[in-house]
Amino acid sequence: MKLCIIYNTAPKYRERIFSLIDEYYDCDWYFGYTKTDIKEMDTSVLKRVIYYKTIGNSRASWQRGIVRLLFKKEYNTFLMLAESRNLTIYLFLFLLRFFPNKRVYLWTHGLYGKESSFEAKLKMWIYSHASGVFLYGNYSKQLLMEKGFPESRLFVIHNSLFYERQKAIRDSIHPSDIYFRHFGNNNPVLIFIGRLTKVKRLDMLINAVALLKQWGCTYNIVFVGDGEMRQDLEYLVTKKDLANNVWFYGACYEEQTNAELIYNADLCVAPGNVGLTAMHTMVFGCPVITHNDFKWQMPEFEAIIKGVTGDFFKYGDTESLAETINDWFVLKRNKREEVRQNCFKEIDTNWNPKFQMEILKKYLK
């Protein structure tokens, strides 16, 4: 079987799973020329790569030269990224009816639950014309099933980062006094790692820690990352008299250092959508708290098991965030190693390239 894979870009964090797919399947890769802030992988590690041009914008786009791939005799199976604003996918799937021996599988977020009725209908039309749909999470699968989509054509593939590399670092890491040396105290350490952007609602974390301080509970925060909100966050820290308890570490691209920062923290807090941050912290044993309105979440929130690998607070509610942070430390006092092992297990079982390859091998026909 020759597999044709069509993706809008080649993100760096997908390098391992793409490499495994390339090793297992006889496949050609088609990537779009894109200009985003997403770091791209070195596609020379893949056997055969072709680039195409995309016309349009975020509201509507067209992939040049992609539809004609359906007419190539050597391709019987396609694996494509599915986006409802990509006009190419509609024509591609419409023409598929004239090629009964060809199959198209989609790799997509699926439904979030926040779509307008019109957008939901567009997505359902796309998915219903595919041979199967690989989804990042069970939440989306459940939403699709509630709309009558057959479970037999929905496959949860989850997501992954640089798992093997991270696990190798994890296996050699040990507790350190990095936070005591910086803060000069033994307060519990809350960490956020990622870009400091508005959508992450990091102001809520600062306000929650300020509220906890009023309640007589002191915490430290470390922000590992940089971004558009850093100056505003620094101002808020000063305003809330938390300068001695907040460390703006800055962006760090050295994974050994990131691992030490995460491993020695007590809890990751992501007040906005959590995304890949959950996987990055949990692979090094750090539990995660994020909000509970899942239609505004990214699929990685499913790695958070309440009371086991993290917890959820009421969406947009700073007091609820403060209470959830405090309750976590009451519940898990003296259980840091148990929590660490729970986080390891969740990533090692469900959120890694090996798991993803098992799903692809089982369902990609």
Side-chain angles (χ1 to χ4, degrees):
M1 175 184 76
K2 189 159 191 178
L3 177 63
C4 178
I5 302 179
I6 304 166
Y7 238 78
N8 62 348
T9 186
K12 177 69 175 175
Y13 76 89
R14 288 267 170 86
E15 184 171 333
R16 183 54 180 158
I17 182 59
F18 281 1
S19 297
L20 290 175
I21 293 171
D22 197 62
E23 291 171 13
Y24 185 81
Y25 292 100
D26 178 19
C27 58
D28 290 347
W29 297 84
Y30 289 82
F31 292 117
Y33 288 109
T34 56
K35 294 180 179 179
T36 70
D37 60 356
I38 298 175
K39 190 174 183 180
E40 295 199 358
M41 64 178 280
D42 176 8
T43 56
S44 67
V45 302
L46 306 175
K47 290 191 290 287
R48 294 182 298 275
V49 175
I50 303 97
Y51 282 91
Y52 64 84
K53 291 184 178 181
T54 300
I55 306 169
N57 51 43
S58 60
R59 289 179 293 180
S61 62
W62 178 263
Q63 298 164 302
R64 278 185 177 176
I66 295 302
V67 170
R68 67 168 175 254
L69 299 179
L70 191 59
F71 295 83
K72 286 182 172 272
K73 292 182 179 180
E74 63 263 39
Y75 298 144
N76 289 320
T77 305
F78 297 85
L79 179 60
M80 307 175 67
L81 190 69
E83 296 178 323
S84 61
R85 299 181 186 185
N86 172 15
L87 302 179
T88 310
I89 194 76
Y90 296 98
L91 182 56
F92 198 97
L93 291 171
F94 174 79
L95 293 174
L96 184 64
R97 68 181 65 189
F98 301 109
F99 299 89
N101 295 323
K102 299 197 175 192
R103 295 175 294 277
V104 174
Y105 293 87
L106 305 176
W107 193 337
T108 177
H109 282 278
L111 293 179
Y112 288 95
K114 62 184 179 182
E115 295 88 351
S116 66
S117 59
F118 178 69
E119 186 176 6
K121 287 178 181 177
L122 290 179
K123 287 187 173 184
M124 290 299 293
W125 186 93
I126 292 171
Y127 305 154
S128 65
H129 285 76
S131 303
V133 183
F134 291 93
L135 298 165
Y136 294 109
N138 288 289
Y139 173 75
S140 180
K141 178 181 178 180
Q142 185 61 39
L143 291 178
L144 286 164
M145 289 170 58
E146 288 173 2
K147 288 185 174 291
F149 203 96
E151 184 177 9
S152 61
R153 288 162 56 203
L154 298 173
F155 322 120
V156 176
I157 195 170
H158 288 154
N159 210 345
S160 65
L161 285 172
F162 311 100
Y163 174 73
E164 285 91 348
R165 191 187 317 163
Q166 291 171 331
K167 188 174 184 300
I169 294 172
R170 185 181 87 191
D171 291 344
S172 64
I173 203 168
H174 301 285
S176 76
D177 63 351
I178 185 171
Y179 292 122
F180 180 79
R181 283 187 282 113
H182 179 81
F183 291 109
N185 61 52
N186 289 310
N187 296 340
V189 176
L190 313 178
I191 190 172
F192 175 84
I193 182 167
R195 287 189 56 76
L196 310 184
T197 59
K198 191 173 184 178
V199 71
K200 296 300 180 181
R201 292 304 316 273
L202 299 172
D203 57 306
M204 287 187 66
L205 173 55
I206 295 169
N207 286 324
V209 168
L211 184 58
L212 284 161
K213 187 177 180 180
Q214 292 178 20
W215 296 347
C217 305
T218 55
Y219 293 85
N220 299 326
I221 306 173
V222 56
F223 291 111
V224 184
D226 215 332
E228 64 196 47
M229 293 300 294
R230 177 163 178 168
Q231 189 172 352
D232 290 342
L233 295 173
E234 289 175 334
Y235 173 77
L236 183 59
V237 164
T238 301
K239 182 179 177 182
K240 295 293 182 177
D241 194 25
L242 292 173
N244 293 329
N245 298 100
V246 181
W247 186 6
F248 286 91
Y249 188 91
C252 178
Y253 301 102
E254 172 53 54
E255 194 66 341
Q256 185 76 44
T257 303
N258 285 331
E260 182 185 14
L261 291 164
I262 295 167
Y263 185 91
N264 288 284
D266 297 291
L267 181 64
C268 171
V269 182
N273 59 54
V274 67
L276 296 170
T277 295
M279 296 167 56
H280 196 183
T281 55
M282 286 174 59
V283 75
F284 294 121
C286 187
V288 182
I289 282 178
T290 190
H291 73 75
N292 67 354
D293 194 345
F294 299 147
K295 65 178 176 289
W296 296 105
Q297 277 289 4
M298 302 300 282
E300 292 79 11
F301 82 85
E302 292 185 21
I304 302 170
I305 303 168
K306 183 177 175 63
V308 179
T309 62
D311 207 343
F312 300 95
F313 71 94
K314 185 178 179 182
Y315 178 66
D317 189 328
T318 300
E319 186 169 339
S320 173
L321 174 56
E323 290 172 347
T324 305
I325 291 170
N326 205 50
D327 288 348
W328 176 263
F329 286 98
V330 171
L331 179 68
K332 297 300 179 180
R333 183 177 287 118
N334 302 321
K335 294 183 179 180
R336 183 66 186 89
E337 186 57 32
E338 176 187 316
V339 170
R340 184 176 282 123
Q341 294 300 322
N342 291 341
C343 293
F344 291 166
K345 182 180 178 181
E346 178 62 24
I347 299 300
D348 295 348
T349 304
N350 297 308
W351 303 85
N352 59 77
K354 181 181 177 182
F355 172 89
Q356 292 181 294
M357 280 304 300
E358 288 173 355
I359 298 298
L360 287 169
K361 290 176 184 178
K362 185 175 182 179
Y363 298 109
L364 189 63
K365 307 297 183 183

